[in-house]
DNA sequence: GCAGTTCCTTCCCAGTCCGG
DNA sequence: CCGGACTGGGAAGGAACTGC
């Protein structure tokens, strides 16, 4: 009997047991977040965008700051790009904030200030892919499905498919089949965050099998127990002096200048960051790129936060 | 040659880890 | 203790591949 066949028909007994064990674990361990029980598609959208590239521990702070500043879709859509970036602060990947801003404008202008619930419409929105679309459907509209991320792929990859590695690389369709069978009906808004939290705290890259409630039924457990060598997770490039490092520096300075409503010349911006002439040349290119992405504006020899000069002064 | 699909790389930074 | 390296992970865009 091959693995695929077994996985396509997980015994009902095992499905029930896994659901029961994880739901019990959730009672004591799942961290409650404000977007998980509100059935608010706007909250779900903001949370989904915040969750991209960001550790769970940092999401709440960004989410709260955003909702405090822009409590409704219209407030967010009508804000200036500078205000959006100011609120986003140093949360990282500012393009996400710009995309979220564009998405809110589209929802206001095209969908009558409503965030769509249809997956095909959702993934057409800037910065919304399959994962974020699923988050909106699950938490915003109570649709029963699994938002498959690497945590969930790793858990199902280990517990069901028997792959011990931190990054499960078999057919993604197989994981979808597993996910569909294990999803407890009517409980997607609890089940998804439970799996995500479980993957973030127990079934991590280097798993904590001793304290794992699924250890007796985990197919990968014997391999993990025998001390199999886990593949290292992919290395990321050095952050210091990288483009993303300098982009972050440029935006930080412009956020401060924007706060003080100060004008700033492009030359002063570059010189304030470095005296190194080669680096200055590189920074000039990064400034051009940031302007193309509508994260900063350039006019004559001046530079500022947002997509147009003075766009932070029109909010009333 | 072209369109469609799949694969690969880059983007982003605070918290954590680790070696000196 | 300090500073530098590592970690996490979906979206987007480009590159490579496939099929007609």
């Amino acid at each position: 009997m091959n693995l695929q066949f077994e996985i396509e028909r997980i015994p009902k007994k095992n499905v029930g047991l896994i659901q029961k064990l994880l739901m019990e674990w959730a009672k004591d361990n799942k961290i409650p977040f404000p977007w998980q029980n509100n059935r608010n598609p706007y909250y779900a959208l903001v949370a989904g965008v915040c969750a991209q590239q960001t550790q769970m521990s940092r999401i709440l702070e960004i989410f709260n700051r955003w909702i405090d500043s822009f409590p409704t879709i219209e407030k967010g859509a009508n804000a200036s790009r500078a205000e959006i970036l100011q609120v986003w602060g140093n949360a990282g990947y500012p393009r996400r904030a710009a995309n979220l801003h564009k998405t809110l404008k589209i929802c206001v202008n095209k969908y009558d200030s409503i965030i769509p619930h249809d997956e095909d419409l959702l993934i057409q929105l800037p910065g919304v892919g399959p994962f974020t679309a699923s988050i909106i459907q699950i938490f915003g509209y109570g649709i029963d499905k699994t938002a498959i991320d690497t945590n969930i792929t790793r858990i199902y990859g280990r517990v069901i498919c028997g792959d011990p590695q931190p990054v499960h690389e078999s057919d993604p369709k197989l994981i979808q089949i597993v996910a569909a069978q294990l999803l407890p009906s009517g409980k997607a808004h609890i089940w998804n965050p439970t799996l995500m939290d479980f993957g973030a705290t127990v079934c991590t890259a280097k798993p904590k099998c001793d304290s794992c409630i699924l250890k007796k039924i985990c197919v990968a457990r014997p391999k993990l127990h025998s001390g199999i060598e886990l593949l290292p997770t992919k290395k990321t490039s050095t952050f210091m002096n990288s483009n993303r490092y300098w982009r972050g520096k440029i935006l930080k300075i412009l956020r401060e200048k924007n706060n003080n409503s100060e004008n700033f010349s492009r030359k002063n911006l570059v010189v304030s960051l470095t005296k190194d002439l080669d680096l200055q040349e590189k920074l000039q290119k990064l400034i051009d790129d940031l302007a193309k992405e509508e994260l900063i504006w350039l006019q004559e020899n001046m530079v500022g936060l947002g997509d147009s000069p003075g766009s932070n002064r029109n909010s009333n």
Side-chain angles (χ1 to χ4, degrees):
Chain A
M1 201 193 293
N2 68 34
L3 178 69
Q4 171 126 14
F5 183 76
E6 286 179 47
I7 285 166
E8 282 174 4
R9 313 160 80 249
I10 305 169
K12 279 225 160 59
K13 190 182 73 177
N14 291 6
V15 171
L17 182 59
I18 292 169
Q19 288 174 342
K20 180 170 164 276
L21 288 171
L22 278 172
M23 284 303 204
E24 277 170 13
W25 179 88
K27 279 182 200 159
D28 297 326
N29 297 282
K30 189 178 86 61
I31 310 150
F33 286 111
W35 55 86
Q36 289 172 356
N37 289 312
N38 280 318
R39 284 271 179 111
N40 182 326
Y42 174 52
Y43 283 15
L45 166 67
V46 175
V49 172
C50 289
Q52 296 163 13
Q53 301 94 25
T54 306
Q55 289 149 344
M56 286 307 281
S57 55
R58 291 182 53 216
I59 296 173
L60 190 60
E61 183 198 334
I62 310 166
F63 176 85
N64 285 337
R65 200 164 62 223
W66 184 283
I67 296 299
D68 283 347
S69 306
F70 314 119
T72 62
I73 299 175
E74 291 89 345
K75 288 253 164 65
N78 292 331
S80 70
R81 180 61 54 79
E83 287 170 317
I84 293 285
L85 293 170
Q86 201 76 56
V87 168
W88 193 257
N90 62 354
Y93 196 6
R95 215 176 289 167
R96 282 184 291 169
N99 281 336
L100 179 53
H101 192 204
K102 287 179 198 165
T103 283
L104 294 180
K105 282 174 184 287
I106 291 169
C107 290
V108 165
N109 295 327
K110 195 171 169 184
Y111 299 122
D112 206 16
S113 297
I114 289 168
I115 292 161
H117 64 269
D118 185 86
E119 183 176 1
D120 292 337
L121 294 179
L122 284 169
I123 59 174
Q124 286 172 32
L125 297 167
V128 177
F131 177 80
T132 306
S134 296
I135 294 290
I136 294 167
Q137 291 182 303
I138 293 163
F139 297 118
Y141 291 104
I143 293 171
D144 251 351
K145 66 188 291 190
T146 306
I148 294 170
D149 69 353
T150 55
N151 279 326
I152 290 174
T153 303
R154 185 172 55 244
I155 297 168
Y156 287 159
R158 279 180 179 148
V159 177
I160 306 295
C161 305
D163 176 3
Q165 296 301 339
V167 179
H168 179 67
E169 284 178 343
S170 79
D171 186 359
K173 288 193 189 93
L174 216 54
I175 294 295
Q176 280 176 1
I177 294 167
V178 172
Q181 291 180 81
L182 286 173
L183 177 67
S185 155
K187 291 180 182 152
H189 65 294
I190 303 169
W191 185 246
N192 278 282
T194 297
L195 286 174
M196 288 173 195
D197 288 350
F198 189 72
T201 56
V202 180
C203 199
T204 50
K206 289 172 192 166
K208 300 170 178 68
C209 295
D210 289 343
S211 58
C212 178
I213 45 157
L214 299 177
K215 64 183 166 193
K216 283 187 183 155
I217 43 177
C218 176
V219 181
R221 165 75 171 157
K223 293 176 201 165
L224 288 162
H225 200 55
S226 70
I228 190 176
E229 198 169 324
L230 294 175
L231 298 170
T233 41
K234 215 174 11 178
K235 280 192 178 179
T236 51
S237 51
T238 312
F239 174 58
M240 209 58 172
N241 284 317
S242 62
N243 283 359
R244 55 200 172 103
Y245 171 84
W246 287 110
R247 280 166 64 100
K249 289 266 183 201
I250 291 167
L251 284 175
K252 182 165 186 263
I253 289 183
L254 291 179
R255 278 198 305 274
E256 287 160 6
K257 293 285 169 188
N258 183 65
N259 243 352
N260 304 331
S261 301
E262 281 179 61
N263 287 323
F264 204 37
S265 79
R266 180 172 179 155
K267 191 181 174 200
N268 282 346
L269 170 61
V270 172
V271 171
S272 72
L273 283 165
T274 179
K275 305 284 177 267
D276 181 324
L277 293 178
D278 289 341
L279 184 53
Q280 285 183 359
E281 200 173 312
K282 174 175 156 172
L283 295 185
Q284 293 289 5
K285 193 191 167 297
L286 293 180
I287 288 171
D288 286 330
D289 289 345
L290 285 166
K292 275 182 209 147
E293 292 164 35
E294 299 177 349
L295 295 170
I296 66 175
W297 56 261
L298 299 169
Q299 200 174 79
E300 311 273 325
N301 58 345
M302 304 304 284
V303 57
L305 190 70
D307 53 0
S308 61
S311 62
N312 57 328
R313 284 186 256 118
N314 65 356
S315 55
N316 49 5

